[in-house]
Amino acid sequence: EPEVTQTPSHQVTQMGQEVILRCVPISNHLYFYWYRQILGQKVEFLVSFYNNEISEKSEIFDDQFSVERPDGSNFTLKIRSTKLEDSAMYFCASSFSTDRDNGYTFGSGTRLTVV
Amino acid sequence: QQQVKQSPQSLIVQKGGISIINCAYENTAFDYFPWYQQFPGKGPALLIAIRPDVSEKKEGRFTISFNKSAKQFSLHIMDSQPGDSATYFCAARADAGKSTFGDGTTLTVKP
């Protein structure tokens, strides 16, 4: 079964450093998302991306965050200057369309720890 | 108005019992209601989903009941098994594709 692949699985970074989280969505999917989950809390929407541009972003997704699809396969989330409160699991997801009955496929996540 | 309220926060069920998790929403623009199952260290996995024009959907031991007028929907797991022990999230989505998740329910099925 096709998978969404995320790397690395765990990243530790110092506060103020830049991090790039990488995702390879399912190859024929057209819509891409980043969500985050702070330990023990709900899954929160960060950003959606379609046709090489951001479709929607949440208030969490401020100027410190950016997304990019640098080639035909990768989808990245960059945090420019990490803060302690950015520590969370970050999940990439993709879907073929936004039609009804089309759920996401999530990756296994990247655990980001900011120290 | 974008919130999805999920209950209970945790649930303990004996093997073979029925697990019931409830969700409520306010935004009538939501038109797709998926449930996700998440095991520790893994991403959420789509379990079952329903559209608001259907009152019930069943897939194996999993059933979603949907009450459009009350703006509530629930997940029923029949014949619950220890392997069903996981965190379950309801979600709701409008046209744009962004999903709003509930707070999650940690289900423990005791042998």
Side-chain angles (χ1 to χ4, degrees):
Chain A
E1 190 167 325
E3 287 185 341
V4 173
T5 305
Q6 288 187 245
T7 55
S9 56
H10 189 190
Q11 174 136 14
V12 181
T13 189
Q14 292 215 321
M15 192 168 55
Q17 294 295 304
E18 174 184 285
V19 293
I20 298 176
L21 310 184
R22 301 180 192 279
C23 170
V24 179
I26 293 173
S27 60
N28 66 338
H29 282 188
L30 303 174
Y31 295 81
F32 313 111
Y33 310 87
W34 283 101
Y35 283 76
R36 80 170 185 192
Q37 184 179 31
I38 294 171
L39 186 64
Q41 297 186 24
K42 71 166 74 177
V43 179
E44 298 176 293
F45 171 76
L46 292 178
V47 65
S48 59
F49 191 88
Y50 170 70
N51 202 26
N52 284 320
E53 60 183 27
I54 291 174
S55 312
E56 189 173 359
K57 59 184 181 180
S58 72
E59 57 202 27
I60 302 168
F61 194 89
D62 62 21
D63 291 345
Q64 293 301 311
F65 290 86
S66 63
V67 288
E68 198 175 42
R69 189 156 161 81
D71 53 43
S73 59
N74 291 286
F75 179 50
T76 61
L77 174 70
K78 182 194 290 186
I79 309 174
R80 252 180 282 281
S81 177
T82 50
K83 303 189 279 281
L84 293 176
E85 53 264 37
D86 293 328
S87 296
M89 281 290 284
Y90 287 81
F91 292 106
C92 173
S94 68
S95 67
F96 178 71
S97 76
T98 58
D99 288 345
R100 296 188 297 177
D101 296 334
N102 229 276
Y104 303 155
T105 300
F106 279 90
S108 292
T110 293
R111 179 172 297 284
L112 177 65
T113 303
V114 183
V115 297
Chain B
Q1 200 185 18
Q2 289 295 321
Q3 280 190 331
V4 175
K5 294 183 180 178
Q6 183 172 346
S7 62
Q9 189 174 27
S10 63
L11 182 60
I12 299 173
V13 172
Q14 291 291 331
K15 179 182 173 182
I18 302 173
S19 304
I20 302 174
I21 305 170
N22 301 298
C23 282
Y25 65 98
E26 304 224 342
N27 186 353
T28 54
F30 289 142
D31 66 355
Y32 177 72
F33 301 90
W35 284 90
Y36 290 88
Q37 180 187 57
Q38 185 181 30
F39 292 106
K42 296 292 187 184
L46 180 65
L47 192 61
I48 186 172
I50 198 167
R51 297 173 297 171
D53 50 357
V54 176
S55 61
E56 187 175 280
K57 183 173 181 180
K58 184 175 180 179
E59 289 183 3
R61 295 184 294 109
F62 300 92
T63 300
I64 300 179
S65 298
F66 190 86
N67 186 330
K68 189 174 180 179
S69 60
K71 289 186 276 187
Q72 294 175 347
F73 58 110
S74 60
L75 175 70
H76 295 232
I77 306 174
M78 312 300 287
D79 187 26
S80 300
Q81 299 297 312
D84 297 330
S85 297
T87 300
Y88 292 81
F89 292 95
C90 64
R93 197 180 80 187
D95 287 342
K98 172 188 106 174
S99 281
T100 300
F101 282 73
D103 286 342
T105 296
T106 302
L107 172 65
T108 303
V109 181
K110 293 201 164 182

